[in-house]
Amino acid sequence: MDGNTGSPPRPRRADARRNHDRLLATARTAFAEHGTDTSLEDVARRAGVGIGTLYRHFPTRHALLSAVFQSEVEILLARSRELLDAEQPCTALIEWLRAIITHAGLYRGLARALMSASGDASSALARCSEPMREAGDALLVRAREAGSVRADVTIADLMQLTNAIALAAEQSPDDPELADRLLALTYRGLKG
């Protein structure tokens, strides 16, 4: 049957599942060690598959990035839900933004990739960024309703700012306090 009949997709063959899982694990390690600009040919080679196999599973670099970071996104989403009940909504929002910065710092180049994909709803990274925006917006709305955040602050601006802080920290490895200082400036600016 073809894909237009509405029937559920066929399950992957066992070797295809193994290749998919091996590619994800290899990419996760390669991105952590060498950054998100790591050669996809190198990822395929290290996973023991051809580049064509990588592209069959992940047609673009952003598709691979999205798949690699999906589990981390789930952790950040769970943390945002926990913070929705925090006593101090603005502090909860900042804590969540700090978690995003920490996460982005695990993979050199991730913040830049997220910033470049932020305006492209068709990017595979949108699968990660849209739920993150929704989670952050819930925290922002709560902080705004508590009178802790200016009315003109948007989650889109905060997400870009957070990625910019992560990128600045990545570019300044000799200054481990930079992200916290920049986040403290953001906190003060939120209150107006």
Side-chain angles (χ1 to χ4, degrees), residues 15-145:
D15 63 329
R17 279 192 311 273
R18 280 192 303 274
N19 286 343
H20 181 270
D21 295 345
R22 192 174 30 231
L23 282 164
L24 278 178
T26 302
R28 186 173 285 115
T29 300
F31 292 159
E33 291 174 357
H34 306 291
T36 60
D37 289 335
T38 295
S39 158
L40 296 185
E41 289 82 3
D42 187 48
V43 171
R45 184 183 49 72
R46 290 171 67 179
V49 301
I51 190 66
T53 299
L54 183 144
Y55 281 120
R56 270 192 302 284
H57 290 280
F58 309 102
T60 66
R61 178 177 297 275
H62 281 177
L64 181 57
L65 286 170
S66 177
V68 165
F69 303 128
Q70 191 59 47
S71 62
E72 285 90 352
V73 166
E74 294 301 325
I75 292 168
L76 290 167
L77 293 175
R79 185 66 184 132
S80 74
R81 288 187 296 273
E82 292 169 5
L83 290 167
L84 277 174
D85 296 327
E87 262 184 57
Q88 297 180 351
C90 190
T91 302
L93 175 62
I94 293 297
E95 184 177 327
W96 189 69
L97 296 176
R98 180 175 281 113
I100 293 172
I101 292 167
T102 300
H103 166 259
L106 298 175
Y107 301 97
R108 191 176 70 245
L110 176 58
R112 186 176 62 248
L114 291 171
M115 288 176 78
S116 70
S118 69
D120 182 4
S122 67
S123 167
L125 281 175
R127 280 192 314 230
C128 291
S129 63
E130 190 54 37
M132 292 288 287
R133 282 179 192 260
E134 290 171 7
D137 198 45
L139 290 167
L140 175 59
V141 165
R142 190 164 175 268
R144 195 179 293 130
E145 288 172 352

